[in-house]
């Protein structure tokens, strides 16, 4: 039996990682087998690409290079982990997927949604998400949370205008799509988790 593919999307610091950890605990307590993956990364090759993409030293990286590196890391993740786990009937929960590229590279970098979608299509194949939770928070709030948590990576160090484009981009890409559930991310962690869990009925 085919498994399920769930993705959490939202700006940096919106609480995706926090919610995924809680969701995994819940699903496993219900006897479900889960696989958690993160983007970019999640495979040996993907983690190597992640180090290049996020390293603040690489200030010269072109927007097109950035788009291709994200797509390459994703292709390897689908090939090594996501595809096989779905075929084995597991619930795959991914911290970001192709919608992040549509928003960050397609809109915030200005490469265009169609271009980014076409570049990613061969790597994704038929493994499109069944459910996308969009955790919506103001960009300033997300970056403030990240600054408290760790040193900012190359993407997080972009200007506030860039992060503003990301927020607008998310609303553009994820509005009016039947697979997307928008969640207000400014509420307490437990309340958000409760809302997410309501969408899993076994
Ligand atoms: P993301 O994976 O989306 O970047 P994280 O889950 O790493 O976000 O959360 C970023 C920071 O914000 C962490 O320090 C986390 O504890 C905190 N955080 C997460 N969710 C909330 C929330 N609902 N309210 C306040 N702080 C939160
Ligand atoms: P990460 O630390 O995983 O993000 P988070 O802050 O959500 O924990 O870093 C990933 C960064 O890469 C984040 O700033 C968003 C960006 N990104 C893209 O620009 N395009 C993509 O396709 C993906 C998956 C991420």
């Amino acid at each position: 039996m085919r498994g399920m593919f769930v993705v959490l999307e939202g700006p940096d610091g919106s609480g995706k990682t926090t919610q995924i950890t809680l969701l995994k605990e819940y699903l496993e307590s219900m006897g479900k087998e889960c696989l958690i993956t993160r983007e970019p990364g999640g495979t040996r090759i993907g983690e190597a690409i992640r180090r290049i993409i996020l390293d603040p030293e690489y200030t010269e990286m072109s927007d097109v290079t950035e788009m291709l590196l994200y797509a390459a890391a994703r292709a390897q993740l689908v090939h090594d982990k996501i595809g096989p786990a779905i075929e084995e009937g597991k619930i795959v929960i991914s911290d970001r997927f192709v919608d992040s590229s549509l928003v960050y590279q397609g809109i915030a970098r200005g490469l265009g949604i169609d271009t980014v979608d076409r570049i990613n299509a061969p790597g994704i194949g038929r493994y499109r998400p069944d459910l996308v939770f969009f955790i919506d928070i103001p960009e300033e709030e997300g970056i403030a949370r990240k600054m408290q948590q760790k040193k900012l990576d190359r993407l997080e160090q972009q200007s506030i205008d860039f992060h503003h484009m990301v927020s607008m981009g998310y609303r553009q890409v994820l509005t009016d799509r039947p697979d997307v559930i928008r969640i207000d991310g400014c509420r307490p962690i437990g309340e958000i988790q409760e809302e997410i869990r309501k969408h899993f009925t076994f």
Side-chain angles (χ1 to χ4, degrees), residues 12 16 50 70 74 96 101 104-105 146 155-156:
D12 301 88
K16 299 180 295 299
R50 179 185 175 89
Y70 278 114
R74 182 168 301 124
R96 301 186 179 280
S101 280
Y104 282 75
Q105 284 65 55
K146 279 285 162 190
L155 271 285
E156 288 159 352

Side-chain angles (χ1 to χ4, degrees), residues 17-27 189 193 197:
T17 313
T18 306
Q19 294 300 331
I20 286 173
T21 308
L22 296 170
L23 181 60
K24 177 175 191 274
E25 263 174 42
Y26 171 68
L27 293 173
I189 291 171
Q193 180 62 205
R197 287 181 184 181

Side-chain angles (χ1 to χ4, degrees), residues 37 43 49 79 92 180:
T37 59
T43 65
I49 295 174
H79 176 268
V92 176
V180 175

Side-chain angles (χ1 to χ4, degrees), residues 43-188:
T43 65
R44 215 158 62 95
I45 293 171
E47 290 295 328
I49 295 174
R50 179 185 175 89
R51 286 193 288 278
I52 297 173
I53 298 180
L54 298 183
D55 189 339
E57 284 292 305
Y58 293 127
T59 49
E60 74 275 32
M61 189 180 296
S62 84
D63 294 346
V64 175
T65 304
E66 185 181 281
M67 169 185 68
L68 294 170
L69 287 176
Y70 278 114
R74 182 168 301 124
Q76 196 67 35
L77 184 62
V78 171
H79 176 268
D80 287 7
K81 300 272 178 77
I82 294 177
I86 291 175
E87 298 305 333
E88 284 165 17
K90 293 182 183 158
I91 301 181
V92 176
I93 311 171
S94 186
D95 194 336
R96 301 186 179 280
F97 198 61
V98 67
D99 289 319
S100 281
S101 280
L102 299 183
V103 171
Y104 282 75
Q105 284 65 55
I107 295 177
R109 296 289 195 217
L111 295 174
I113 293 176
D114 287 349
T115 302
V116 177
D117 199 36
R118 268 189 285 121
I119 292 290
N120 276 274
I124 296 174
R126 58 201 173 92
Y127 298 109
R128 295 270 166 184
D130 298 298
L131 206 54
V132 177
F133 291 101
F134 165 35
I135 309 188
D136 197 2
I137 57 160
E139 56 274 20
E140 296 87 357
E141 167 73 15
I143 290 301
R145 285 185 193 170
K146 279 285 162 190
M147 279 168 80
Q148 285 185 351
Q149 189 188 22
K150 65 175 183 93
K151 219 166 129 238
L152 299 185
D153 64 41
R154 192 178 61 84
L155 271 285
E156 288 159 352
Q157 284 180 9
Q158 301 292 314
S159 69
I160 192 70
D161 283 352
F162 177 81
H163 292 293
H164 186 60
M165 292 284 283
V166 167
S167 280
M168 285 190 349
Y170 266 120
R171 288 183 198 121
Q172 186 181 326
V173 167
L174 297 184
T175 300
D176 291 333
R177 255 187 32 199
D179 58 329
V180 175
I181 292 148
R182 183 191 163 275
I183 307 259
D184 174 2
C186 292
R187 291 169 306 146

